[in-house]
Amino acid sequence: MRTEPDAPSIGRLGALAGALGAAAALAVIEVVALLDSTGDSVTEATGNAFIDAFAASLKEIAVVLFGTNDKAALLIGTAIVAMLIGAWLGMRALSRPVTVVVGFTAFAVLGIVMAWRDPLASKPVSVLASLLGAAVGVAVTLGLARRWQRAVQVERAHPAAAGYARRRVLVDGGIAAAALLIGVGIARSARESARTTASRVTRKLPRATPKVTVPAGTLDKGSGAVAGITPYVTPTDDFYRIDTAFRAPIVDESTWSLTIKGMVDREITLTYDDILARDLIEVPITMLCVSNEIGNHLVGNARWSGVLLTDLLQEAGVQDGAEQVMGESVDGFTAGFPVEVALDGRDAMLVVGMNGHPLPAEHGFPARLVIPGIYGYVSATKWLKEIRLTTWDEEGFWVPRGWSRLGPIKTSSRIDVPHSGEELEAGPHAIAGVAWAPTIGIQRVEVQVDDGPWRKATLGPVASADTWVQWWLEWDAKPGDHRLRARAIDGDGRTQTAEIAPPAPDGATGLHTIQVKVG
C-alpha cells in the first residue's frame, strides 16, 4: 500500500503551479504586446528600468559574460526571476490564496509604473497587458494548485490510485508548458516580423561625396591580403552594438525630427527630408566601446554618411558659456562631450548612413552622432531626437554612474592572427591585426615574440588618421610554446602603455598578448 509521504508534496506542487502562473502572465504580456508591435512591451520596459538602475554595477559583467547578447540574457533572466517569484507565491496558493492575488497584482502595478516611465511603451497597451497578465497568472496558479491538491487527495484516499497525482501533474503541467511555449513563440515571432517590417528602410540615401578615399589595397583584399585579418571596413552586419536600449527603437522617419536647442542663438528643427536635402559627405571613422577589453572586438570601422556637426552648430550659433554638446535619444538616453570637440576641425558628424545605406535600426536610424576620437558612451547617441548646448552641470547617462566625463579613445592594438591557443606548424606565418588612435593616427606597430626584441610591422594603407590601420609581420615560427605581444605608437610618438587597467572608468589599457604552440 502506498503511504501518504509517497504522494507529491502540496507545497512543491503549489510552487510548480506558481511558476506556470508567472509564465502564463508573461505569455499574456507577449500576446497583448502585439497591439503595439513597434513599442516596448511591459517586459522590455521593466528590462530598460533594470538597465537604468543597475547599469553602473553590471555593465562590465554583462559585456564580459554575454558580449552583444547581454539584452537577450537579461530577457531570459527576467523570465527566470519572475517564475521563481511565482513559485514562491504558489507555495502559499492553498493556505493563503490572497497572497497570490496580492503578489500578482503588485507585479501588475510595477509593470504599469515601469511602462509609464518608458517613452517608447504604449500606456494603454501596457495597462491592459499588466492587468490581464496578472489575472491569468492568478487563475492558472490557483486553478492548478487546487486541481493538483484534489489529485493528491484522491491518491491518498484510494490505494489503487497510486501514481494518479503524478500523472495528473505531468499531463496538466505538460499541456500548460506546451501551450505557453507555443503561444509565446507565435506571439514573439509575429511581433518580430512586425518589427522587422516596420524597421525596414525603403528609402535610398542621396549619393554622399567621399571626403577621403577608402584605400583599395588594404591587407584584407588585393595582392597584400593577409588571411584572417579584420577587414579595413567592417561590414554593417558585423559591426558591434552596445547600448542601453533593451530593443532598438523603431522610429518613423516621416514624423521624426531633430531639434538643436539650449545655449544657441536660434533653435533649429530638422526633419529627415531636411537632412537628406543637404550635401551629404562620407567619412570612414573607427568607433570603439569603452567596455572593450584589450584584444576584444567591440570596435569597428565604417563609412559614415551625413553632415558635419560643426556646420549645424554654426547655423544655430553657439553662445558663450556653452561647455557641452548633449545628445538625447528617443528613449531618453543622453551623452555629452565638450563643445570644442565638435568645433576643433575633426569630422564630428550627424550621421544618416552607414556603408552606403541608411542606418539600420540597431545602429540608430534615422540619425545618430559619430564623433572621432572619443568613446561612444559620451558621444555616439543613436536614435537622436535632440542636441542641446549646455554646461557641465548636466550629466549624460554614464557619468553619474561612475564613468569619466571625458572619454578620449586610448591608443591600442590587437592581434587577429594567429588566434590565442592556436597550434601552428613550424615555418613562416603572418602575425597580423589592427591598431587605432582616432584623430591622431598610428605611426608604427611593433611585435614581440617571447622576450625578443620589438620588431616593426608593415602597415596597410589608411583613408585618414580617424581610422584604424591594419598591420602584419612575417614570423619564422620555431617549435615550442611562444608568447606574442603587440604595441602601437601613435602619430604623436606616444607608445601604447603596457600598464594593465580595466575598462572602467575611461577605457582599458595594456598590451594584447596571446600564447601559441608551434609543432
Side-chain angles (χ1 to χ4, degrees), residues 218-303:
T218 56
L219 298 181
D220 56 295
K221 56 182 68 173
S223 59
V226 176
I229 197 170
T230 297
Y232 181 71
V233 175
T234 307
T236 301
D237 290 343
D238 295 337
F239 207 94
Y240 75 93
R241 178 200 163 193
I242 295 289
D243 50 55
T244 61
F246 199 90
R247 284 181 181 270
I250 296 175
V251 183
D252 182 355
E253 81 275 10
S254 66
T255 58
W256 172 87
S257 64
L258 168 67
T259 301
I260 301 175
K261 59 188 295 187
M263 300 176 69
V264 296
D265 296 332
R266 62 197 69 84
E267 187 173 301
I268 295 176
T269 298
L270 299 170
T271 66
Y272 192 61
D273 287 332
D274 291 335
I275 298 172
L276 297 191
R278 292 172 175 254
D279 294 330
L280 303 184
I281 61 172
E282 181 181 87
V283 184
I285 297 171
T286 293
M287 294 185 61
L288 180 71
C289 178
V290 72
S291 297
N292 194 61
E293 298 277 359
I294 295 298
N296 213 332
H297 291 75
L298 300 180
V299 56
N301 184 55
R303 297 183 290 113

Side-chain angles (χ1 to χ4, degrees), residues 61-315:
I61 297 174
V63 171
V64 170
L65 292 179
F66 306 110
T68 55
N69 295 315
D70 54 339
K71 307 302 189 305
L74 178 56
L75 181 63
I76 294 171
T78 300
I80 292 173
V81 171
M83 292 177 68
L84 288 174
I85 295 174
W88 183 84
L89 293 172
M91 292 176 67
R92 292 148 182 80
L94 297 174
S95 60
R96 300 184 63 185
V98 68
T99 302
V100 176
V101 176
V102 171
F104 276 95
T105 301
F107 274 95
V109 172
L110 177 64
I112 292 172
V113 171
M114 295 300 100
W116 216 264
R117 295 172 54 188
D118 190 321
L120 300 180
S122 167
K123 308 308 183 277
V125 171
S126 299
V127 171
L128 176 62
S130 297
L131 295 179
L132 189 57
V136 171
V138 169
V140 169
T141 300
L142 296 181
L144 288 178
R146 288 166 179 168
R147 180 177 173 84
W148 292 341
Q149 181 190 39
R150 289 194 295 271
V152 170
Q153 291 171 345
V154 168
E155 179 175 337
R156 290 174 176 172
H158 303 280
Y164 172 74
R166 286 181 173 79
R167 290 193 296 273
R168 185 75 272 161
V169 171
L170 288 174
V171 171
D172 292 346
I175 292 174
L180 293 176
L181 288 173
I182 293 172
V184 170
I186 293 174
R188 292 195 66 82
S189 177
R191 190 156 177 255
E192 286 301 321
S193 178
R195 287 179 63 88
T196 299
T197 300
S199 65
R200 187 175 295 121
V201 182
T202 57
R203 298 183 59 172
K204 291 186 177 180
L205 291 180
R207 185 181 183 279
T209 302
K211 189 173 181 182
V212 293
T213 302
V214 174
T218 56
L219 298 181
D220 56 295
K221 56 182 68 173
S223 59
V226 176
I229 197 170
T230 297
Y232 181 71
V233 175
T234 307
T236 301
D237 290 343
D238 295 337
F239 207 94
Y240 75 93
R241 178 200 163 193
I242 295 289
D243 50 55
T244 61
F246 199 90
R247 284 181 181 270
I250 296 175
V251 183
D252 182 355
E253 81 275 10
S254 66
T255 58
W256 172 87
S257 64
L258 168 67
T259 301
I260 301 175
K261 59 188 295 187
M263 300 176 69
V264 296
D265 296 332
R266 62 197 69 84
E267 187 173 301
I268 295 176
T269 298
L270 299 170
T271 66
Y272 192 61
D273 287 332
D274 291 335
I275 298 172
L276 297 191
R278 292 172 175 254
D279 294 330
L280 303 184
I281 61 172
E282 181 181 87
V283 184
I285 297 171
T286 293
M287 294 185 61
L288 180 71
C289 178
V290 72
S291 297
N292 194 61
E293 298 277 359
I294 295 298
N296 213 332
H297 291 75
L298 300 180
V299 56
N301 184 55
R303 297 183 290 113
W304 304 100
S305 302
V307 296
L308 290 176
L309 182 59
T310 302
D311 294 342
L312 297 177
L313 296 184
Q314 288 176 344
E315 289 179 27

Side-chain angles (χ1 to χ4, degrees), residues 2 10 46 58 74 133 183 275 336 490:
R2 179 173 294 276
I10 296 296
T46 303
L58 297 180
L74 178 56
I275 298 172
D490 67 26

Side-chain angles (χ1 to χ4, degrees), residues 374-389:
I374 55 178
Y375 290 114
Y377 80 99
V378 289
S379 66
T381 309
K382 299 188 237 183
W383 314 293
L384 192 64
K385 73 168 185 178
E386 190 171 285
I387 295 174
R388 292 190 298 275
L389 276 295

